[in-house]
Amino acid sequence: MLTLFLSALGIGIVWALWLLPRGQVRANYTAWMAATGFAVLGVLLGLRWVESRTVDPWLATAAAGILAYRLLIPLGSRAALAGLTLASALGAVCLGHLAAGLGGGVLALPSVALSALVLGTTLDAMVLGHWYLVQHGLSFEPLRRMSLALLAVVGVRLLLAALWLFALGGWGRLLGPGPLAMDTTLFLLLRGLLGFVGPLGLGWMVWECVKLKSNTSATGILYVICVFVLVGEFTAAWFWTSAGAWI
């Protein structure tokens, strides 16, 4: 579960950088986010090594791709674009491998990919809100794109969960013939409130703040969304690995 969650977080941080308008945000922002994504995968690789004394080649390759991207950023926009493409592709292969191991059928890969996008977009948007203090005169277009993307990916994530629950019989499989277990009830509440309701409601508030060009207010709300999304997506990883539920 932790492997899936941290992999999605680290790779999603890099994927979300595609949302930025080219040339509007300084390279130090993308360098910071690339370093953050690499650090997340580095921590995961370290934990795996401590636990089993093994190195996952898929994770290691994804981490190497992000590191290469970070090193290419100072060399100019073309080199950075090539590095971002490489890192994103290697990350996609890594998440595809993890999704295939879950045995969730056709919903496994899109669920894992959307989880990465939700995590990455939220964290990148929150850090971007601070960048208006660093880069004076920065257009609100990057934050506008991030806030819209956040609403979009959480919305699609909700639709996919609803598809599994109601169209593919997931609700009956999750509840089962007996009473609903206490831990399942708790995780369902966490998943619904913190994974969907909270981010969508607060995301709309961020969008309104962006329209008013109030980056300080938007950033404060994004802090709360980050907490909600982290808990919500960690809960989703629990459902995937422990209950076989794609919500």
Side-chain angles (χ1 to χ4, degrees):
M1 180 176 68
L2 187 62
T3 295
L4 190 60
F5 174 75
L6 290 180
S7 298
L9 175 61
I11 293 167
I13 288 171
V14 173
W15 280 1
L17 295 176
W18 285 103
L19 296 168
L20 295 174
R22 299 277 82 81
Q24 290 196 18
V25 184
R26 290 177 185 167
N28 55 359
Y29 170 77
T30 53
W32 179 271
M33 298 317 300
T36 303
F38 174 73
V40 171
L41 294 190
V43 168
L44 177 56
L45 284 167
L47 292 174
R48 293 285 298 269
W49 173 258
V50 170
E51 179 183 6
S52 61
R53 290 295 189 272
T54 59
V55 176
D56 187 316
W58 303 96
L59 284 173
T61 302
I66 297 176
L67 178 60
Y69 169 48
R70 172 61 184 87
L71 296 175
L72 288 170
I73 289 173
L75 302 182
S77 59
R78 290 187 178 180
L81 182 59
L84 180 57
T85 303
L86 174 65
S88 299
L90 293 177
V93 172
C94 177
L95 288 184
H97 171 73
L98 290 174
L102 294 173
V106 295
L107 291 185
L109 182 56
S111 294
V112 173
L114 283 170
S115 178
L117 286 172
V118 170
L119 288 164
T121 302
T122 304
L123 190 62
D124 285 15
M126 187 269 290
V127 176
L128 181 62
H130 289 83
W131 231 254
Y132 288 86
L133 303 175
V134 177
Q135 185 178 338
H136 298 292
L138 175 61
S139 166
F140 270 80
E141 178 62 18
L143 191 57
R144 186 189 74 85
R145 288 193 183 188
M146 284 285 187
S147 58
L148 280 177
L150 174 60
L151 289 170
V153 293
V154 174
V156 175
R157 189 93 167 80
L158 176 58
L159 290 175
L160 199 66
L163 174 67
W164 184 84
L165 282 171
F166 302 110
L168 300 180
W171 189 254
R173 289 169 50 194
L174 187 62
L175 297 182
L180 194 61
M182 182 61 70
D183 58 348
T184 304
T185 304
L186 174 61
F187 280 121
L188 273 174
L189 289 173
L190 287 175
R191 183 71 189 112
L193 294 176
L194 302 187
F196 297 121
V197 177
L200 287 173
L202 293 175
W204 176 81
M205 294 173 63
V206 170
W207 170 242
E208 291 297 319
C209 291
V210 170
K211 289 196 295 184
L212 296 173
K213 296 186 176 181
S214 177
N215 66 288
T216 303
S217 299
T219 305
I221 299 171
L222 282 165
Y223 266 116
V224 182
I225 296 177
C226 267
V227 175
F228 282 12
V229 164
L230 287 170
V231 176
E233 293 304 321
F234 189 81
T235 306
W238 179 86
F239 273 112
W240 295 343
T241 57
S242 301
W246 295 94
I247 58 176

